[in-house]
Amino acid sequence: PNPSGRNDRPRPGSHPPTPLLPASSFPSLPVCRLGNAKCSSNPFEPTRHAQPLMARPRRPVAAALALLIVVLLACGAAADDASSDDDAGVLRTPGCSNKFQLVKVKNWVNGTEGTTVVGLSARFGASLPRDVHKAKRTFAVLANPFDCCSNLTSKIGNSVALATRGECAFTAKAKNAQAGGAAGLLVINDNEELYKMVCSDNDTSINVTIPVIMIPQSAGKKLKDYLDHGASVEVQLYSPNRPVVDLSACFLWIMAVGTIVCASLWTEFVAMEHVDERYNQLTRKDGPNSGTNHSEDKEIFEISAKGAIVFIIVASVFLLLLFYFMSSWFVWVLIVLFCIGGVEGMHICLVTLFSRFFKDCGQKTVHLPLLGEVLTLSVGILPFCVVFAILWAVYRHASFAWIGQDILGICLMITVLQMARLPNIRVASALLSAAFVYDIFWVFISPLIFHESVMIAVARGDNSGESIPMLLRIPRFFDPWGGYDMIGFGDIIFPGLLVAFSYRFDRASRKGILNGYFLWLTVGYAVGLFLTYLALFLMDGHGQPALLYLVPCTLGVIVILGWLRGELHDLWNYGKLQNENLVDEP
């Protein structure tokens, strides 16, 4: 028997997660630098009016740090959750050289169609038709003996034999079923995984001409129970091709790129903040269309190089804890955190949008007990956001749940990218390089140590039966195997921090579209994400560490472009002197 046991069924997962850094889109608090615990307000700005509670919420640094750790968990692969074949590390011999393929097993009990079962074909035996219309509908019978390890006591009569795993080699079972006149063989596994059925070392030449399929234990037990009670069971076996390109991957690509572009432009075009070239920082400018007259310094968390390395180390430890100790209750904790972050992000985005386009909405306030003066708009929107998140949590397994998850996730990531910022590409290089190594190690190298990819196992929730919600996903609409394409929040947030920095640098330096960096980094991110999905296709759907392709296409682009333009020194040290001046001011 083959020592490899791998589940090749369509199943969700492939990408750990990431969010929860609630941040306000409104200017309200001083600039803070992560890693040195220093904060300072801009001494050059005039005194601001008081801000109503909830309109400009203040968020503690500790909460932001905790949420950043969760963000780091989103490093992972853009992925699809089904692999139709996997031939790695399996020796081929004459008569035993088929590709492993997922198989659909349609079944009827007394003429009533049941739930289609997904199985896995063997390395040997006949190939199955790709089109369901070319597949024959055949009766299923129990093998006798049930393990099919010896000659069958009765002829099966051109039916599909149902046998249990164990007691002898898979090839022996197939030969006995074929000798008994079976048209095919369904092997019931002893668990829910789909085991790869290969030839033993002694099988030098195999002549099996019937299809041999392994099915999960639960599905096989149901079919056996029906047959034991005298029911008539029919099966239809076929293995449809997956489309080369599914539109879901295109939509996911648009969602990821659009989120980064929207987050980069949000501050200026939605929240109506403009660049103050004198001090090279974003300050709020009140105007007739700003939607509010409140103007306070904005709370910003600037990531330091030291902090970036610490985050990656802590995230690695947390990832291991999830790998070894994840359970259903732990996933629920992550779901609750995701809902809290999603509510915060959605609330901030909606309040900002309404305040931007409906000026009066951002000015009316109401006084509430304990909370004090609160924006009426905020009071009205917050319950809607809470109900939205609760409904998603309750119906998260429904076919439409991906819509709510993506809405909450996009709002959350836009908010994160407003709060956490890179001061220069020196820090960006430290953060993205560390995340680059982190992503590759836990996806590709960890199987050599832990016998499976730690990040992929955590992302799809192998130990809990439920995948982590910190990712964008979209159904594969035109794939006969169904499933989802997905990408972790970290694969959007980490490059997004650099893209957002490039936009601020361009505005502060008064650069145009073509001679700036924002356009080229956006294109670089789009190309990197395309390369990720190309690799996903070439690797038969196995999860890919997206930062392997995204970091060179973003960080590499700005470094090379800055070097060619002679601006690398400015990019490398940008904001350093300004931040030092802010901290030193009394």
Side-chain angles (χ1 to χ4, degrees), residues 160-204:
V160 174
L162 189 66
T164 186
R165 175 185 172 183
E167 305 301 330
C168 62
F170 294 119
T171 51
K173 296 178 185 291
K175 290 176 181 178
N176 290 329
Q178 180 175 293
L185 176 63
L186 294 179
V187 179
I188 304 173
N189 198 13
D190 52 13
N191 56 53
E192 293 305 298
E193 299 293 310
L194 291 179
Y195 197 84
K196 295 178 183 176
M197 297 182 289
V198 299
C199 306
S200 62
D201 295 336
N202 297 327
D203 293 322
T204 56

Side-chain angles (χ1 to χ4, degrees), residues 47-92:
T47 303
R48 308 298 189 188
H49 298 291
Q51 179 75 24
L53 186 63
M54 292 177 66
R56 311 292 188 269
R58 286 166 166 73
R59 296 167 181 79
V61 176
L65 291 174
L67 294 175
L68 262 178
I69 293 174
V70 182
V71 170
L72 290 173
L73 288 176
C75 293
D80 76 36
D81 56 10
S83 178
S84 59
D85 41 51
D86 182 2
D87 301 324
V90 180
L91 183 64
R92 298 188 181 191

Side-chain angles (χ1 to χ4, degrees), residues 89 104 118-119 169 194 212 240 384 462 478:
K104 286 183 178 289
V118 176
L194 291 179
V212 182
F384 168 79
D462 282 1
F478 302 101

Side-chain angles (χ1 to χ4, degrees), residues 237-433:
L237 311 176
Y238 66 105
S239 180
N241 285 316
R242 301 184 65 186
V244 175
V245 178
D246 192 273
L247 287 180
S248 63
C250 300
F251 289 138
L252 194 62
W253 181 87
I254 293 173
M255 287 167 57
V257 176
T259 298
I260 287 182
V261 173
C262 181
S264 300
L265 304 180
W266 183 275
T267 300
E268 181 173 354
F269 292 97
V270 179
M272 293 301 291
E273 296 177 16
H274 301 285
V275 174
D276 186 336
E277 282 84 3
R278 177 179 177 185
Y279 303 113
N280 282 337
Q281 68 181 63
L282 292 175
T283 57
R284 182 63 172 258
K285 303 297 183 181
D286 293 331
N289 297 323
S290 64
T292 178
N293 292 324
H294 299 292
S295 304
E296 294 185 355
D297 292 343
K298 183 175 182 177
E299 183 183 60
I300 299 172
F301 289 95
E302 282 193 358
I303 303 171
S304 68
K306 180 180 178 181
I309 303 301
V310 171
F311 292 157
I312 296 296
I313 296 174
V314 174
S316 297
V317 174
F318 191 44
L319 191 65
L320 277 179
L321 292 176
L322 287 174
F323 179 70
Y324 284 112
F325 303 109
M326 176 175 278
S327 59
S328 57
W329 70 266
F330 203 103
V331 173
W332 264 107
V333 171
L334 295 179
I335 289 174
V336 170
L337 289 176
F338 172 73
C339 288
I340 293 173
V343 167
E344 178 73 3
M346 191 176 187
H347 171 253
I348 289 172
C349 290
L350 290 179
V351 170
T352 305
L353 286 171
F354 276 96
S355 298
R356 167 68 177 86
F357 294 105
F358 302 99
K359 181 179 178 181
D360 294 338
C361 293
Q363 297 177 336
K364 297 179 180 179
T365 61
V366 62
H367 191 277
L368 297 178
L370 301 179
L371 297 179
E373 188 179 8
V374 179
L375 280 179
T376 304
L377 177 62
S378 181
V379 175
I381 289 178
L382 184 59
F384 168 79
C385 298
V386 172
V387 171
F388 188 93
I390 292 175
L391 289 176
W392 170 82
V394 172
Y395 296 101
R396 67 187 183 281
H397 296 303
S399 59
F400 55 82
W402 63 274
I403 300 175
Q405 182 172 331
D406 289 350
I407 291 175
L408 290 172
I410 289 174
C411 290
L412 176 59
M413 286 187 286
I414 290 176
T415 303
V416 169
L417 291 173
Q418 301 307 302
M419 182 184 206
R421 292 183 176 178
L422 295 173
N424 46 54
I425 65 169
R426 177 178 61 86
V427 176
S429 299
L431 177 65
L432 293 179
S433 297

